[in-house]
Amino acid sequence: MEAIKKAMASNQITDRPNQGFTMIELIVVIMIIGILAAIAVPRFMDLQGQAQRSVRDGLTSNLRSAAALAYAQAAVNNTIGALTANAVYQALQVPGGITLTGNNFSATINGTPYTWVYTFPASVGDPSP
């Protein structure tokens, strides 16, 4: 009993020298990091491709909206017969890298060229790479 009182008084039982982490603690941390990496890596594998598709879809929507706007303006002015791809291009408030050649709109997204075909009176087709 006397030895326990002395040990408690000097904190010999509760004091642990600073020895760092145990091998088990390190292995558990490495396993947790490995599991997180296995879950996260597949989710971010195709981020660049997803971004490129999103930009392409956004440009397609902009062109179709501009075509609808140009058609509505031509209908109000009673000039639908004169509606051209140039009128659609002018209806784009911000072209965003889109160029017009004849009846084709084109843009380059991350090195990949895309072309949208304008069809009278107000239709813009799906992009073709």
Side-chain angles (χ1 to χ4, degrees):
M1 188 68 140
E2 197 64 35
I4 294 175
K5 286 182 183 177
K6 283 182 183 179
M8 290 182 103
S10 66
N11 277 338
Q12 289 176 356
I13 293 176
T14 58
D15 280 348
R16 244 178 62 182
N18 292 332
Q19 296 176 355
F21 296 106
T22 65
M23 184 62 79
I24 297 295
E25 291 171 331
L26 291 174
I27 290 172
V28 168
V29 169
I30 290 170
M31 286 176 51
I32 290 171
I33 291 172
I35 290 169
L36 290 175
I39 292 170
V41 167
R43 296 189 72 155
F44 298 109
M45 287 294 283
D46 193 33
L47 274 180
Q48 187 173 6
Q50 289 175 0
Q52 185 171 345
R53 286 188 293 278
S54 295
V55 170
R56 181 198 63 206
D57 293 345
L59 291 176
T60 302
S61 296
N62 286 346
L63 285 169
R64 289 180 177 160
S65 296
L69 181 61
Y71 183 82
Q73 288 173 341
V76 167
N77 296 331
N78 201 17
T79 58
I80 291 178
L83 190 58
T84 63
N86 191 41
V88 173
Y89 187 76
Q90 296 301 319
L92 285 170
Q93 293 183 355
V94 179
I98 297 174
T99 58
L100 175 65
T101 306
N103 280 341
N104 296 330
F105 297 98
S106 60
T108 301
I109 304 167
N110 200 24
T112 305
Y114 289 94
T115 302
W116 295 264
V117 177
Y118 170 77
T119 309
F120 180 80
S123 176
V124 175
D126 289 330
S128 61

